[in-house]
């Protein structure tokens, strides 16, 4: 570490690519007063101060229930798929995003007041920039890249 370097602190946000059988990802319409205004968010969120020692599967479950409702059924892939970061509205708010994949099995989606709506968005590199921005878009691009690599291996 150089003499002028100082360790920094970041919010860690666990995000989920909730994918339906049509290979579409669930996008949650961002509020107009937030950092993602005009775009969609992925389900998930920050780790709360009292959750530091909790299992990340439990944190993701809590976030999904809060943001898409109790009636949605899914199966979570416990392996992180991508990592990226973005700046919040205030420059001191910096986020590290970790993406997980979950298969959507059904149920009624009911968004929380953190979002204004929802939409199934095709997992297509050409379509995603119209809906996602910054670190969220990069997470999904990395996810698509990993999918292509996995198909080559198989």
């Amino acid at each position: 570490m150089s003499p002028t370097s100082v360790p920094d602190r970041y919010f860690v946000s666990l995000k989920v690519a909730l994918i339906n059988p049509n290979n579409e990802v669930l996008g949650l319409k961002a509020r107009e007063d937030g950092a993602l205004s005009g775009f969609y968010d992925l389900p998930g969120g920050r780790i709360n101060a009292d959750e530091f020692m909790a299992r990340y599967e439990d944190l993701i479950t809590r976030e999904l229930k809060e943001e898409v409702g109790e009636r949605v059924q899914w199966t979570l892939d416990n392996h992180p798929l991508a990592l990226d970061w973005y700046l919040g509205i205030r420059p001191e708010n910096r986020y590290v995003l970790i993406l997980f994949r979950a298969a959507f099995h059904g149920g009624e989606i009911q968004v929380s007041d953190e979002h204004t709506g929802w939409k199934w968005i095709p997992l297509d590199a050409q379509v995603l920039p119209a809906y996602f921005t910054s670190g969220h878009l990069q997470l999904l691009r990395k996810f698509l890249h990993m999918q292509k690599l996995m198909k080559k291996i198989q």
Side-chain angles (χ1 to χ4, degrees):
M1 185 168 12
S2 73
T4 58
S5 298
V6 188
D8 204 353
R9 294 178 188 229
Y10 304 91
F11 292 108
V12 176
S13 187
L14 305 176
K15 292 293 183 175
V16 178
L18 185 59
I19 300 171
N20 70 16
N22 298 322
N23 204 36
E24 298 168 314
V25 65
L26 181 65
L28 303 176
K29 183 73 174 150
R31 295 169 51 103
E32 293 301 319
D33 59 352
L36 300 175
S37 176
F39 291 95
Y40 283 75
D41 190 5
L42 293 168
R46 292 181 291 200
I47 299 171
N48 294 330
D50 63 341
E51 297 175 319
F52 183 75
M53 298 304 290
R55 295 172 7 147
Y56 63 85
E57 297 94 334
D58 296 336
L59 303 176
I60 291 169
T61 296
R62 175 187 58 78
E63 283 289 344
L64 282 174
K65 286 182 177 181
E66 284 176 8
E67 294 190 356
V68 301
E70 297 272 342
R71 297 183 181 148
V72 173
Q73 294 104 36
W74 71 87
T75 302
L76 180 68
D77 179 345
N78 291 335
H79 305 287
L81 298 175
L83 174 86
D84 212 284
W85 52 87
Y86 82 101
L87 294 174
I89 293 175
R90 295 188 305 254
E92 67 272 13
N93 289 350
R94 293 179 294 254
Y95 298 86
V96 173
L97 306 172
I98 303 170
L99 182 69
F100 294 83
R101 180 188 190 285
F104 175 79
H105 299 300
E108 181 185 353
I109 296 170
Q110 296 179 326
V111 296
S112 71
D113 61 359
E114 293 178 38
H115 300 95
T116 61
W118 62 273
K119 179 179 181 120
W120 288 111
I121 300 165
L123 263 176
D124 179 317
Q126 304 304 315
V127 173
L128 292 174
Y131 296 96
F132 296 97
T133 189
S134 72
H136 297 80
L137 177 58
Q138 296 308 316
L139 282 176
L140 290 170
R141 284 179 171 158
K142 289 175 181 180
F143 171 71
L144 288 174
H145 181 71
M146 289 298 294
Q147 276 190 322
K148 286 181 187 176
L149 290 176
M150 294 306 291
K151 284 180 183 178
K152 286 182 183 180
I153 292 171
Q154 296 172 357

